[in-house]
Amino acid sequence: MSLKNGVYLSFISILVTNLTNIILTPFIIRSLGQSDYGLYALIGAFVGYLAILDFGLGTTITRFIAKYRTKNDILKQENLLFLVGCLYLVFTTLLTIIGIIITFQLGLILPNLDSRELHDAKIMFIILVISLGLTLPMNLFNGVISAYERFVFQKNMIIIRTLLRALLVFILLSIGYKALAIVLIDALLNITLSIIYAIYVLFYLKLRIKFHYFDMTFIKSLLKYSFFIFVSVIVDQIYWRIGHLILGIKRSTEEVAVFAVGMTLTQYLIVFSTAISGVFLPRITRMIVSDSSSHVLTEQMIKIGRIQFGVLGLIFSAFFLLGKDFIYLWAGPGYEQSWLISMLIMTPLLLVLTQTLGITILQAKNLHGFRALSYLAISLVNAYLSIRLVDNYGVIGVALGTTLSLIIGNLLVMNIYYHRKVKLNMITFYFKLFKGWLISLLLSSFLGYIIIEQSNTWFELLFYSLTYIIIYVTISWLIGMNLYEKNLFKGELLKVKKVITRK
């Protein structure tokens, strides 16, 4: 029941987060202006690289705690938390040292910033580094909560934080504060949430951080597992944040802002895909421990992948048809290239994101090393291509570098590995994934292209959006969905009907 509720709350938290950001972001853009918004996005991307000093321990904790919980071994859980806590203290010290060095060298790293931008950038950077240093060791508590599948509490806290952040940002920007206020709000909320997670684990779950024994063999196993998670995090940073840095170093904060808007819209697609697969790591871990066959895991991946493809297909095709008008109404003039940036990257992502459960399977099987190293190589290619293309093509060149790396690494290399090494039948996966859904997507997009006209107002955009949703859902019901998906869809509609009827 917790898993099911966790999936529902994942969608609710994603919906709340995305709707809040969609409403709040244009207000932030207009309040800060294109230059300052670009600076805010640039520093956020910069600090994101320091966040990798988690070294993958958060995900590692979830995996090992879930494993020990399956065996009801409290002693090993307590000992794990103590050992990981010690490692976090080391990494936090390293983070502080690196942060101090970068602060003094920020002017050399970002030479295109003027004196005011550099002053604000240093203050924002210092605040974010302090926040990261305080919250980094607390990641172990979030990992424990995920391992215990307390997703209801976890997602509720995310929803509360999102709404509170939106309220505070709106109030402070309305009375004249700028980007520094947003950074300070994020820092305080992150620290508060970390403290709440710690209290929940220590006093509600009653799990102690306690040293029982020192096992060097286990430490090596722990670090080996977390190392490849760490490499994966580096790859994600390069994929999704390297463009901000390249444009910040070689171009201007205005171009960073345009790229940031395009990438922000792309991230909405990503978070929707992980709503289901993200809560499956503990369950998949138990399936692996129970020696579930590759066939069973493949079928699970197909089942989740088809649902993801259906949801993502609606978002992708709607953005293809209505994205230009949405960006103009949402962000204002000057962000026309953001649509093309999003479309370039969303196109391969539509397939990549149907396989997010495969990453969970790799982590549970402890086979994520190859993915991490291969993605690292491809992400370096991404960085190289982006640097070479940015001079001639600007923000579009950076987007092209990311798109090509996604096709080579995520689609080509990883699908071969899934099929040959992990023994997931990817031929069957794609055949069953596309069955019904691909024709449904293409036909819906074609009809939408014929019917939908340019939207000059929010009312027109809403009208065409609802029209397309009706088209997509109708064709999906007739062509795309199988019996399981239809029953799932009908079940959710009945729940909504019951809620409305009660009111």
Side-chain angles (χ1 to χ4, degrees):
M1 191 66 179
S2 178
L3 179 65
K4 187 177 181 180
N5 290 337
V7 173
Y8 291 145
L9 275 173
S10 290
F11 274 116
I12 293 173
S13 66
I14 286 170
L15 185 64
V16 170
T17 300
N18 287 347
L19 285 177
T20 301
N21 287 336
I22 287 172
I23 295 171
L24 192 63
T25 299
F27 176 72
I28 293 175
I29 292 174
R30 288 170 172 78
S31 297
L32 300 183
Q34 193 174 52
S35 177
D36 279 5
Y37 179 72
L39 181 65
Y40 167 69
L42 175 61
I43 296 303
F46 214 113
V47 174
Y49 279 90
L50 292 181
I52 65 176
L53 291 176
D54 172 78
F55 282 96
L57 289 177
T59 304
T60 303
I61 290 169
T62 299
R63 192 255 184 182
F64 279 93
I65 291 291
K67 180 180 178 181
Y68 296 149
R69 185 184 171 217
T70 302
K71 299 178 180 179
N72 199 28
D73 194 332
I74 299 298
L75 185 144
K76 285 188 176 181
Q77 293 181 52
E78 293 178 343
N79 200 60
L80 172 67
L81 293 182
F82 177 85
L83 295 175
V84 172
C86 292
L87 291 174
Y88 267 128
L89 291 177
V90 175
F91 298 153
T92 301
T93 302
L94 181 61
L95 164 68
T96 304
I97 295 172
I98 294 175
I100 292 173
I101 294 173
I102 291 178
T103 300
F104 285 106
Q105 300 299 321
L106 207 55
L108 296 176
I109 298 171
L110 302 172
N112 290 330
L113 300 184
D114 59 36
S115 58
R116 182 197 62 81
E117 289 176 331
L118 181 60
H119 174 266
D120 290 348
K122 285 185 177 181
I123 296 176
M124 285 190 283
F125 187 80
I126 291 170
I127 293 173
L128 289 172
V129 168
I130 293 173
S131 170
L132 195 57
L134 293 174
T135 58
L136 191 67
M138 310 291 263
N139 283 348
L140 63 91
F141 298 111
N142 191 30
V144 171
I145 294 171
S146 295
Y148 271 71
E149 300 183 41
R150 301 304 172 96
F151 301 116
V152 173
F153 168 76
Q154 200 173 39
K155 301 307 177 183
N156 280 333
M157 293 309 304
I158 292 174
I159 292 171
I160 293 171
R161 180 200 179 280
T162 300
L163 295 176
L164 185 59
R165 176 187 185 271
L167 178 62
L168 292 173
V169 168
F170 178 78
I171 292 173
L172 291 181
L173 292 188
S174 296
I175 60 178
Y177 288 94
K178 297 297 182 180
L180 289 176
I182 303 177
V183 171
L184 190 58
I185 289 170
D186 287 337
L188 293 175
L189 289 177
N190 288 338
I191 293 170
T192 302
L193 187 61
S194 295
I195 294 172
I196 292 173
Y197 283 160
I199 293 172
Y200 185 85
V201 170
L202 296 175
F203 295 98
Y204 186 78
L205 296 181
K206 299 187 185 302
L207 192 60
R208 297 289 177 258
I209 302 175
K210 188 175 181 180
F211 177 74
H212 291 283
Y213 60 90
F214 184 81
D215 186 346
M216 193 60 195
T217 302
F218 170 74
I219 292 291
K220 290 180 179 179
S221 174
L222 179 73
L223 291 176
K224 180 180 178 181
Y225 183 89
S226 63
F227 171 76
F228 290 115
I229 299 291
F230 166 62
V231 173
S232 297
V233 173
I234 293 178
V235 170
D236 287 338
Q237 289 294 320
I238 295 176
Y239 265 154
W240 308 122
R241 295 181 185 267
I242 193 66
H244 300 72
L245 295 184
I246 292 173
L247 290 168
I249 293 171
K250 303 196 72 173
R251 308 288 283 202
S252 65
T253 52
E254 287 81 5
E255 288 183 86
V256 174
V258 172
F259 186 77
V261 168
M263 293 303 291
T264 296
L265 296 172
T266 301
Q267 291 299 315
Y268 294 150
L269 193 71
I270 295 174
V271 293
F272 266 103
S273 74
T274 55
I276 298 175
S277 61
V279 298
F280 269 84
L281 179 56
R283 176 66 58 86
I284 292 296
T285 299
R286 291 200 298 273
M287 290 175 67
I288 298 300
V289 172
S290 303
D291 295 323
S292 295
S293 67
S294 296
H295 173 73
V296 172
L297 294 175
T298 300
E299 289 300 315
Q300 185 76 12
M301 188 172 171
I302 292 169
K303 182 184 291 186
I304 303 303
R306 281 184 57 85
I307 296 172
Q308 288 173 315
F309 190 80
V311 175
L312 298 179
L314 171 60
I315 299 170
F316 174 81
S317 55
F319 187 77
F320 170 72
L321 297 169
L322 299 161
K324 287 182 180 179
D325 298 335
F326 170 77
I327 290 175
Y328 183 82
L329 293 170
W330 182 64
Y335 292 91
E336 292 78 12
Q337 287 183 306
S338 297
W339 177 83
L340 182 55
I341 292 168
S342 295
M343 285 305 306
L344 281 171
I345 299 173
M346 282 184 181
T347 301
L349 273 181
L350 182 60
L351 291 180
V352 172
L353 295 177
T354 62
Q355 302 174 19
T356 50
L357 195 64
I359 301 173
T360 305
I361 293 172
L362 289 179
Q363 292 173 353
K365 279 180 169 284
N366 200 11
L367 291 174
H368 55 291
F370 175 82
R371 174 184 179 272
L373 294 177
S374 62
Y375 277 24
L376 179 60
I378 295 299
S379 65
L380 294 176
V381 172
N382 173 21
Y384 173 77
L385 290 174
S386 298
I387 292 171
R388 293 298 300 270
L389 293 171
V390 69
D391 289 331
N392 293 326
Y393 303 102
V395 291
I396 302 302
V398 176
L400 281 171
T402 302
T403 301
L404 292 173
S405 64
L406 283 170
I407 293 172
I408 297 170
N410 296 64
L411 291 181
L412 182 60
V413 175
M414 281 311 303
N415 276 271
I416 293 173
Y417 185 75
Y418 282 141
H419 191 79
R420 293 186 177 180
K421 179 66 177 178
V422 189
K423 304 302 180 185
L424 298 173
N425 193 327
M426 298 309 295
I427 297 174
T428 300
F429 172 82
Y430 277 110
F431 177 78
K432 291 187 176 182
L433 177 74
F434 290 145
K435 187 177 180 180
W437 274 121
L438 184 58
I439 296 176
S440 174
L441 175 63
L442 294 175
L443 183 57
S444 299
S445 300
F446 177 72
L447 291 177
Y449 183 77
I450 294 175
I451 296 172
I452 292 174
E453 299 179 1
Q454 181 176 344
S455 302
N456 297 311
T457 65
W458 282 110
F459 177 79
E460 291 177 349
L461 183 67
L462 178 61
F463 172 77
Y464 284 123
S465 297
L466 292 175
T467 301
Y468 182 68
I469 290 173
I470 293 171
I471 293 172
Y472 185 90
V473 171
T474 302
I475 294 177
S476 296
W477 180 269
L478 296 174
I479 301 175
M481 297 183 193
N482 59 30
L483 183 60
Y484 168 78
E485 291 152 2
K486 287 182 178 180
N487 289 333
L488 187 66
F489 185 72
K490 285 192 292 186
E492 297 310 308
L493 286 181
L494 287 174
K495 290 178 183 177
V496 173
K497 183 180 178 181
K498 286 180 181 178
V499 171
I500 295 174
T501 303
R502 287 172 186 172
K503 293 182 180 180

